[in-house]
Amino acid sequence: MYYSSLKYIPTSSFKVGKIHPLALANSANQRDINRIPIRIKIATGSYILQTNRAAYNQNNVDPTCKLCDQAEESLSHFLLCCRALDQIRTPILKNIICKCSELLALQHSNIQLDILQLIINPFHYAGSVESENDISCRIEPLCRQLIYNLHNKRYEILSKMDLISSRRKMNFKVS
């Protein structure tokens, strides 16, 4: 409870001897298993974004998002706002909101959702074992897919930018 990076995982969800549902694979599918480490990094606050680099780097690092150059690359910006990732985010996020609305309607719940909290840890909204199972089967795989796809697209774009930058440096040195 003393780690600010764990603000999206309440301490009440930790049970001694039990794996947190975020770290469990819903199937033996290798693709689903490969998504777990990125998922855990996001949930625990150890995923490195420009804001983190700026805060912990001794050099002067710009916290602005390299993908869209619009705002600081914070967790909320990366998951919800970055325009460069809209094409990946929009269809999956619509599906998450739709499934979550269905579950909350079935539970007759009037909970106000925090979309960032929902993506990072949907189990925060589990009121019972039954709702935890529904979240585990219906919402968590979508959240995991969203995070993983955003991560892949981010690194694809950053890799292309680094390649272009290194080519320019090489051309500059040759000239």
Side-chain angles (χ1 to χ4, degrees):
M1 76 181 163
Y2 296 111
Y3 293 98
S4 63
S5 62
L6 295 177
K7 66 183 174 188
Y8 294 104
I9 303 178
T11 55
S12 61
S13 65
F14 291 111
K15 296 188 179 41
V16 176
K18 187 176 178 189
I19 297 173
H20 194 281
L22 289 176
L24 294 174
N26 294 331
S27 68
N29 185 338
Q30 188 63 41
R31 184 185 66 204
D32 291 338
I33 293 169
N34 288 341
R35 292 176 177 171
I36 294 173
I38 302 303
R39 178 83 172 109
I40 298 300
K41 285 181 180 182
I42 291 287
T44 58
S46 59
Y47 189 80
I48 304 296
L49 297 163
Q50 282 301 108
T51 306
N52 303 96
R53 283 194 177 106
Y56 296 109
N57 200 322
Q58 293 177 354
N59 299 325
N60 189 16
V61 176
D62 184 12
T64 305
C65 177
K66 290 182 175 183
L67 306 180
C68 68
D69 211 21
Q70 299 290 317
E72 283 191 9
E73 189 184 38
S74 63
L75 193 56
S76 62
H77 174 79
F78 170 62
L79 293 175
L80 300 173
C81 303
C82 184
R83 291 183 183 186
L85 302 173
D86 273 345
Q87 193 174 19
I88 300 292
R89 177 187 315 106
T90 303
I92 302 170
L93 190 56
K94 283 182 182 178
N95 202 358
I96 290 170
I97 292 170
C98 180
K99 298 266 188 207
C100 194
S101 298
E102 289 173 10
L103 283 177
L104 290 176
L106 289 173
Q107 295 174 10
H108 305 292
S109 179
N110 290 331
I111 298 173
Q112 190 167 0
L113 290 176
D114 174 3
I115 299 297
L116 187 61
Q117 175 69 57
L118 177 66
I119 293 169
I120 296 173
N121 180 18
F123 296 100
H124 175 78
Y125 296 103
S128 64
V129 174
E130 183 180 299
S131 64
E132 187 173 309
N133 289 337
D134 283 342
I135 288 170
S136 181
C137 295
R138 298 174 71 189
I139 297 174
E140 172 56 20
L142 292 171
C143 293
R144 196 173 283 178
Q145 177 188 10
L146 174 65
I147 289 170
Y148 190 73
N149 290 357
L150 290 173
H151 161 78
N152 280 342
K153 187 64 175 179
R154 178 178 183 261
Y155 274 93
E156 177 186 319
I157 294 170
L158 290 175
S159 296
K160 285 179 184 176
M161 291 169 73
D162 287 345
L163 184 63
I164 291 169
S165 165
S166 66
R167 284 184 182 166
R168 285 183 182 154
K169 286 179 186 176
M170 286 177 33
N171 288 340
F172 183 72
K173 288 179 183 178
V174 172
S175 298

